[in-house]
Amino acid sequence: MSVDDRFVRDFREGQEEPLGTRSEIITGPVSDWASDFSHLEPEWAADPYPIQDELRARCPIAHTERFGGGWLPTRYEDVAAIAYDTEHFSSRAIIMSNYRPPRDIAPVGAVPPISSDPPFHHDARKLLLPAFTKKEVAKREEAARAFCHSLIDGFEGAEIVDAARDYAQHIPMRVISDMLGFPPEDGPRFREFVEHALEGVNLPPEQRVANMGELFDYLLEQIRDHVASPRDDLTTYLIEAELYGRKLEPSHVAGTMALLLIAGIDTTWSAIGASLWHLAKTPADRERLVAEPGLLPTAMEEFLRAYAPVTMARLVKEDIHWRGADMKADDWVLVSFPAANRDPAQFDRADEVIIDREINRHAAFGLGIHRCVGSHLARMELRVALEVWLERVPVFGLADPSAVTWAPGQVRGPRTLPLRIG
Amino acid sequence: MKVQIDPARCQGHGRCYDLSPDLFTEDDEGYGQVVGDGVVPPGGERAARVAVSNCPEKAIVLVEEA
Ligand code: HEM
Ligand code: SF4
């Protein structure tokens, strides 16, 4: 047996700093949402829906000069068309920022498969699918449920708890670190990695590079530990996995691990938090779900529709006149699944949360070839988190509505959520 | 009545086998599959329509037999 020496050297050594292009960082109040939008400003983080509704009615594809130029479609039809059109829109970067990676990074990208384009995308994705089926993730339900109970045990005696910080965030962190085989006590570091990747978008480039460096240092440490002592987990699986008859490139192994860590945590944390926020401020829905637990799977889909946490980005491949917008090569497009989910042309009473909505063809997990690989896992976590909460804490409300804060950027959910439970 | 899944459109969201497990199941990668020959048993029409109208990719086809 030959020794796996792919990870002995740091795979980043000797690699040239990828060139790419940088644009000027522009922050500050938005003058006009149709021509200067920014999903990183506090107004958007606090409540993006009226902004999206207004743009959908009057625009419907907004533009900005920020981030070196970008577009924001708000109709379901346009969002779906872009998600399906991998010929004109590339996933080589999916977080809208002031840095565009060089074109030759496609079709693999930094964090496959989310950063990959066809045909490579299909093969990188296929590697992950078997571990994330509904049947496979069901095996983790019992442990997830016990963990949720232990978090609530920790509330003992408290009248006010922070449901985002003390409950929602821990659940996906624990689940994904178990799946990857990372030490559970590293949770707080994951939070930092997530914030750096998704919210630190307008930081100076040197700072962003240093932040990503820390994440990859951590992953390399975990990989080396798994090379030395292989286990039955996703890290060992990725180290052993083969594509086209060869083991994966070290950067592919680490990139996919980074993706699973980032995509697995923030998103589900946001979905759990937003659902609890809704129930805390809507006693009728809370009481109905406590009385009719069988309705939860239906209600959960409605929370995912109305408070869809995830927006993805694409880069325009070549200049194109697209449905009235003059898109230039390398312009960003924000693929706003949240805005699509509130389009009245697609959903009856789109702006209302109807917990027994029976027809709910929402796009919270994306559309087309990049459909969230973790959707079955996320649904299991969300259902279990809400079931345990409602069973243990059937009566709760917002302790201080003005103290609730929401994460800015492409993954949106409550980050501070004080609830009165006593 | 019969249900079919268009494999070119299905992306494995799993709404069909979540909502109507008598008619749909998953393969080893999470893509939807019809159970058996896809013939909807008497009384299963509603479950079939619920699956059709919740599939995000519009991948499920209902074939009404004469
Ligand atoms: C409620 C929670 C979640 C939401 C709303 C969500 C949403 C999304 C969306 C919208 C995409 C499509 C990206 C695109 O079109 O570019 C996506 C992709 C992805 N998600 Fe999730 N996600 C969630 C949880 C998770 C979890 C728990 C994991 C795994 C641990 C995960 C792993 C992934 C991966 C690997 C992809 C890339 C798929 C591909 O490119 O083929 N997600 N997610
Ligand atoms: S709901 Fe649609 S996309 Fe999802 S598995 Fe079923 S057929 Fe496929």
Side-chain angles (χ1 to χ4, degrees):
Chain A
M1 204 181 86
S2 68
V3 183
D4 191 343
D5 55 6
R6 282 174 298 162
F7 303 98
V8 173
R9 252 187 53 177
D10 189 325
F11 59 86
R12 294 164 295 183
E13 272 170 37
Q15 262 182 8
E16 281 177 39
E17 183 70 9
L19 284 173
T21 40
R22 300 191 190 288
S23 45
E24 188 197 345
I25 300 173
I26 308 173
T27 58
V30 165
S31 56
D32 171 16
W33 285 94
S35 59
D36 182 37
F37 77 82
S38 169
H39 59 308
L40 291 170
E41 295 305 316
E43 198 183 338
W44 177 278
D47 191 4
Y49 306 119
I51 302 171
Q52 294 169 2
D53 289 345
E54 202 240 335
L55 289 173
R56 196 186 300 105
R58 95 171 144 118
C59 213
I61 302 177
H63 183 252
T64 189
E65 298 286 341
R66 300 181 192 214
F67 313 102
W71 302 89
L72 171 65
T74 50
R75 293 193 307 192
Y76 178 94
E77 203 189 313
D78 294 340
V79 169
I82 290 172
Y84 287 127
D85 186 351
T86 56
E87 194 182 319
H88 297 104
F89 302 97
S90 169
S91 286
R92 85 175 202 268
I94 29 69
I95 302 296
M96 183 166 167
S97 73
N98 295 293
Y99 169 71
R100 287 161 173 77
R103 285 179 169 224
D104 60 12
I105 190 177
V108 179
V111 283
I114 208 167
S115 61
S116 311
D117 287 329
F120 181 82
H121 167 264
H122 174 264
D123 303 323
R125 175 179 171 89
K126 199 175 161 69
L127 287 176
L128 296 178
L129 290 174
F132 287 92
T133 60
K134 189 178 176 189
K135 201 185 290 158
E136 226 16 68
V137 303
K139 296 178 186 161
R140 303 193 168 267
E141 178 163 341
E142 210 184 298
R145 188 176 301 276
F147 183 63
C148 291
H149 275 288
S150 75
L151 292 171
I152 293 191
D153 291 342
F155 297 168
E156 188 66 50
E159 266 177 38
I160 294 177
V161 296
D162 186 331
R165 196 195 58 207
D166 302 334
Y167 191 67
Q169 71 161 322
H170 296 290
I171 300 160
M173 270 180 197
R174 172 58 66 94
V175 171
I176 198 64
S177 77
D178 281 356
M179 287 180 81
L180 285 162
F182 296 172
E185 64 274 13
D186 289 351
R189 302 191 60 185
F190 305 161
R191 174 170 185 157
E192 214 172 278
F193 297 147
V194 165
E195 283 172 354
H196 285 161
L198 295 166
E199 295 174 33
V201 164
N202 271 337
L203 292 173
E206 304 71 37
Q207 183 66 44
R208 273 185 72 71
V209 170
N211 288 346
M212 287 315 272
E214 275 175 37
L215 167 60
F216 280 88
D217 288 344
Y218 176 81
L219 295 174
L220 194 54
E221 210 179 287
Q222 297 301 324
I223 293 172
R224 285 176 177 156
D225 187 50
H226 280 74
V227 170
S229 46
R231 294 153 238 181
D232 180 16
D233 58 29
L234 279 175
T235 300
T236 293
Y237 171 77
L238 287 167
I239 292 169
E240 300 292 327
E242 293 190 3
L243 211 51
Y244 319 123
R246 264 182 293 137
K247 297 242 174 125
L248 305 181
E249 292 295 325
S251 56
H252 183 165
V253 173
T256 297
M257 289 169 65
L259 167 62
L260 293 175
L261 196 64
I262 306 290
I265 293 177
D266 202 21
T267 51
T268 315
W269 163 15
S270 297
I272 298 169
S275 305
L276 289 172
W277 172 77
H278 174 85
L279 292 171
K281 72 181 181 67
T282 322
D285 286 350
R286 174 177 57 73
E287 284 160 18
R288 185 162 174 211
L289 280 184
V290 170
E292 285 177 62
L295 188 60
L296 185 64
T298 308
M300 208 176 88
E301 294 304 319
E302 179 67 345
F303 300 146
L304 285 166
R305 180 191 72 83
Y307 308 116
V310 179
T311 299
M312 278 294 142
R314 299 288 187 264
L315 284 169
V316 175
K317 283 194 185 169
E318 305 296 340
D319 292 3
I320 182 176
H321 191 70
W322 197 85
R323 300 194 177 175
D326 254 322
M327 298 181 174
K328 300 276 175 261
D330 275 359
D331 276 355
W332 296 100
V333 182
L334 268 189
V335 189
S336 178
F337 299 113
N341 279 354
R342 284 173 175 253
D343 182 349
Q346 181 73 9
F347 299 92
D348 288 338
R349 297 158 72 193
D351 57 346
E352 292 174 49
V353 177
I354 302 172
I355 60 170
D356 57 3
R357 190 185 287 274
E358 205 182 15
I359 298 181
N360 202 343
R361 194 177 257 152
H362 70 74
F365 291 107
L367 290 168
I369 63 167
H370 291 279
R371 185 273 301 169
C372 178
V373 164
S375 68
H376 303 284
L377 180 66
R379 282 187 163 112
M380 183 276 280
E381 293 180 40
L382 178 58
R383 180 174 48 76
V384 169
L386 296 177
E387 274 170 9
V388 172
W389 181 287
L390 290 170
E391 183 191 319
R392 298 281 303 274
V393 191
V395 181
F396 58 100
L398 292 179
D400 174 6
S402 66
V404 177
T405 62
W406 296 78
Q410 286 178 227
V411 179
R412 179 179 181 272
R415 289 296 171 266
T416 322
L417 180 57
L419 299 185
R420 179 172 301 283
I421 61 167
Chain B
M1 193 197 274
K2 233 180 139 160
V3 284
Q4 287 170 353
I5 291 179
D6 177 352
R9 298 188 80 119
C10 174
Q11 297 292 349
H13 290 259
R15 301 304 295 134
C16 55
Y17 49 83
D18 276 348
L19 292 164
S20 309
D22 294 339
L23 297 172
F24 302 93
T25 182
E26 61 179 325
D27 72 7
D28 292 344
E29 294 183 336
Y31 293 101
Q33 303 253 289
V34 298
V35 172
D37 55 8
V39 173
V40 179
E45 292 84 0
R46 189 181 151 79
R49 289 187 210 285
V50 165
V52 170
S53 56
N54 280 285
C55 171
E57 308 289 346
K58 303 192 176 118
I60 307 174
V61 192
L62 262 190
V63 189
E64 308 270 358
E65 276 158 0

